[in-house]
Amino acid sequence: MAPARRWPVISALGVVQILTWGSSFYLLSVLAAPMSKDTGWPLRWVIGGLSLGLLVAGLVSPRVGAFIGEHGGRPVLAFAAIALALGLMGLALAPNLTAYLAAWLLVGLGMGTGLYDPAFATLGRLYGAEARPAITTLTLWGGFASTVCWPLSAFLIERVGWRGTCLAYAGLHLSVTLPLVLLAIPRPPAHPVTRSEGAIPGVRLDGRERRAFLLMAGVLTLGGTVMAMVSVHLITLLQARGVALTSAVAYGALIGPAQVGARIVEMAGKGRHHPLWTLTAAMVLVVLGIAMLTAGLPLVGLALVLYGAGNGIYSIARGTVPLGLFGPERYAALVGRLARPGLVAQALAPSVGALVLTHAGADATYALLSVLAVANVALALSLWRVRPRS
């Protein structure tokens, strides 16, 4: 496919990512409190629905990647739109907590087949070794998910309530996301994968590649843990250091623009450097930001800008590093396998963070985040030793 024709595909996928992230991962940021207040369901169980969904997404991700490697991403992304629509309808109509949690199983299927990793695999299947710029651009679109959907959710809650908001998002998936996938995402090239005789495509690794795979899985696990803990507990952690609630919210709002700004800088580089540089820079920025918060330095805004910038380009690195390490032929299948530990970590991390906060306090939670972030820098540096030799 000619480069000029990539823009409709990337733009369509970008809109899909905004609506998918906004109606799943970011949904409860705005809806959890109204849900709990309206129904009387415990807030921890309302938020637990997202953890359940992330666990489902992690369980299905390896098969999703393998399927995209064989058949391309269009049927998977179309399925995601339908699963999310049905799951959101289930949330809207849930008469009790059991039905609510059951609906999150469908939302989780939609997340596992529709968030970044399936989208990255789709681009890798379409463009092969030339997919890196497309992946980078897609993360720029995805960075606006909370910017678009948080205000949209708040607007809808005021007018139609949380149940109506879930129905509205379901309608958007059926009327916007699904048509975009079916009309704008092309079929993949006919023979992109070179198969070893008798081998399942996408799963055979030599010793050096296996070490790289395990290291990358470790990076994604620790990265997902840190990101989820910070996302859920940031305001509480800042308040524990004496930051007023309004100021803590204002500081937290810096993360989104920092993520987008860092992705723009990465795009400006036009892929001239190895993606491991992006990953290493991301981990260093994250550890600097968290270390400043842990030390209690009076530069909270700068700390969160550094953290946000690191988290922003980390999203790019999750898609581009496997492409650089393993090549395009096995990319879709391996991205699916790598997605599992990160998603499971994101599902469990908020509960772990809450446990540490409750029983050991904010200082111990900051220390845990710092240790995890430093360990991830070490894993990123270790990947340099096992990368394919040019």
Side-chain angles (χ1 to χ4, degrees), residues 149-161:
C149 292
W150 280 350
L152 176 59
S153 295
F155 173 84
L156 289 169
I157 286 173
E158 288 294 322
R159 282 151 183 81
V160 296

Side-chain angles (χ1 to χ4, degrees), residues 20-32 35 50 88 91 100 104 107 149-150 153 157 162 165-166 169:
T20 300
W21 280 95
S23 64
S24 60
F25 189 85
Y26 292 121
L27 183 72
L28 295 183
S29 299
V30 180
L31 267 65
M35 283 178 171
L50 175 60
L88 287 160
L91 295 179
Y100 167 83
W104 272 102
V107 176
C149 292
W150 280 350
S153 295
I157 286 173
W162 70 267
T165 301
C166 290
Y169 277 124

Side-chain angles (χ1 to χ4, degrees), residues 63-350:
R63 291 186 179 276
V64 170
F67 185 92
I68 292 174
E70 281 284 286
H71 306 288
R74 184 164 65 173
V76 169
L77 295 171
F79 174 85
I82 295 169
L84 285 166
L86 293 175
L88 287 160
M89 290 178 192
L91 295 179
L93 301 174
N96 52 53
L97 184 58
T98 301
Y100 167 83
L101 294 174
W104 272 102
L105 298 176
L106 277 173
V107 176
L109 279 176
M111 295 167 74
T113 52
L115 290 179
Y116 269 150
D117 297 296
F120 292 160
T122 298
L123 293 173
R125 183 68 167 80
L126 287 171
Y127 306 130
E130 303 302 316
R132 181 178 174 182
I135 291 170
T136 301
T137 305
L138 183 62
T139 64
L140 186 61
W141 279 87
F144 290 101
S146 59
T147 304
V148 171
C149 292
W150 280 350
L152 176 59
S153 295
F155 173 84
L156 289 169
I157 286 173
E158 288 294 322
R159 282 151 183 81
V160 296
W162 70 267
R163 294 183 187 273
T165 301
C166 290
L167 287 175
Y169 277 124
L172 285 172
H173 281 297
L174 294 177
S175 63
V176 177
T177 304
L178 183 59
L180 280 175
V181 169
L182 295 177
L183 296 175
I185 309 303
R187 288 192 174 93
H191 301 289
V193 178
T194 302
R195 306 188 187 197
S196 300
E197 184 177 353
I200 300 172
V203 300
R204 180 166 289 183
L205 300 172
D206 62 28
R208 188 183 187 91
E209 290 174 331
R210 182 165 180 77
R211 289 193 296 274
F213 178 90
L214 292 174
L215 285 169
M216 190 64 196
V219 167
L220 294 173
T221 301
L222 295 184
T225 301
V226 170
M227 186 270 287
M229 287 179 65
V230 171
S231 297
V232 173
H233 300 297
L234 176 63
I235 304 302
T236 303
L237 288 169
L238 292 179
Q239 287 183 286
R241 289 289 167 84
V243 179
L245 176 59
T246 53
S247 297
V249 172
Y251 283 133
L254 295 173
I255 293 176
Q259 290 181 156
V260 173
R263 288 168 184 168
I264 291 172
V265 171
E266 169 69 13
M267 283 181 63
K270 297 182 178 179
R272 295 187 185 95
H273 55 276
H274 194 281
L276 278 176
W277 282 110
T278 303
L279 179 65
T280 305
M283 296 300 98
V284 169
L285 288 169
V286 167
V287 82
L288 286 174
I290 290 177
M292 290 174 66
L293 293 174
T294 302
L297 298 179
L299 298 168
V300 175
L302 177 60
L304 291 176
V305 166
L306 291 172
Y307 168 81
N311 200 41
I313 58 174
Y314 165 69
S315 296
I316 297 173
R318 324 171 16 187
T320 57
V321 169
L323 187 64
L325 291 176
F326 307 114
E329 290 80 12
R330 298 167 295 173
Y331 176 73
L334 289 176
V335 163
R337 288 175 126 199
L338 286 167
R340 175 179 284 178
L343 288 167
V344 172
Q346 289 177 59
L348 301 178

